[in-house]
Amino acid sequence: MPEPLPPWPSPEPSHGRVRLRPVCESDAGMAMALAEDPYVSATGTLPHRADRDEARAWVKRQQHRHSEGRGFSFTIEDVGARVPVGHCGLWLSHLADGYASAGYAIAPAFRRNGFAAEALTALTGFAWSLAGLNRIDLFIEPWNAGSIRTAERSGYIRSGFRSGYQLAGGGQRDMLVFSAARSGGP
């Protein structure tokens, strides 16, 4: 059994136009929109073209990530429109070693609006409130120019290359590694 995680953040992390809130049942529609992108399904646990039941099952899995000790799973919400625009997570299986990984996905209708960078900035700010966390890694495929720009806009720098990185959705891919380090940390 993993160590208990730090408590859920209060107030909810936010930056610019977004806030990161707990995943709720009404996010199934946003999950279905995310599932239209085969890349989202290939890199995570959301089935490609998920139907309503599959989307609800994914939502339920996200709601348990914290209590299972895996990390923090957030819905990215546009605070002005009060609509979910995507999902992000801070995965803490290596917190005892001082590092974590993060990921994000924006529903297709909301892309190219800066939501991903704002969400990643909020997520990173929250991460630095966790004692013992000194580095956050992002794993990005070399062809994913949009995600590379998002990482760089959010203060992440290219720190390496991982051959055969194991994806949450199964399979392996070569990935660039982008990292952020806590100020004053190692």
Side-chain angles (χ1 to χ4, degrees):
M1 181 85 171
E3 292 284 321
L5 294 179
W8 197 260
S10 179
E12 294 170 335
S14 64
H15 181 80
R17 299 165 296 155
V18 303
R19 76 177 175 121
L20 308 182
R21 62 163 173 78
V23 178
C24 62
E25 289 179 23
S26 64
D27 294 329
M30 179 270 300
M32 290 173 67
L34 282 173
E36 290 300 313
D37 181 345
Y39 180 70
V40 170
S41 298
T43 58
T45 61
L46 181 63
H48 182 57
R49 296 199 170 126
D51 63 24
R52 177 75 54 188
D53 289 339
E54 291 170 322
R56 285 182 182 138
W58 178 84
V59 162
K60 189 169 280 300
R61 288 192 301 276
Q62 300 315 306
Q63 290 173 323
H64 292 290
R65 297 297 190 219
H66 186 258
S67 64
E68 293 169 348
R70 294 177 186 225
F72 293 87
S73 183
F74 295 101
T75 290
I76 303 166
E77 183 176 88
D78 176 340
V79 294
R82 300 194 72 194
V83 297
V85 299
H87 176 262
C88 66
L90 181 66
W91 312 117
L92 298 171
S93 61
H94 298 285
L95 181 59
D97 299 318
Y99 68 95
S101 62
Y104 47 86
I106 302 296
F110 299 101
R111 292 180 182 162
R112 295 178 179 33
N113 289 304
F115 288 123
E118 290 180 18
L120 183 56
T121 300
L123 186 69
T124 304
F126 161 65
W128 298 145
S129 74
L130 304 179
L133 183 60
N134 296 307
R135 188 183 86 229
I136 307 165
D137 293 331
L138 304 172
F139 298 92
I140 303 171
E141 288 181 326
W143 59 261
N144 194 337
S147 197
I148 290 169
R149 283 191 303 275
T150 293
E152 291 171 341
R153 275 191 223 126
S154 301
Y156 286 72
I157 58 168
R158 184 172 169 182
S159 60
F161 179 82
R162 176 87 51 95
S163 180
Y165 178 76
Q166 183 67 43
L167 300 172
Q172 296 181 342
R173 303 240 176 113
D174 292 344
M175 298 286 203
L176 299 176
V177 182
F178 282 76
S179 301
R182 181 190 296 269
S183 297

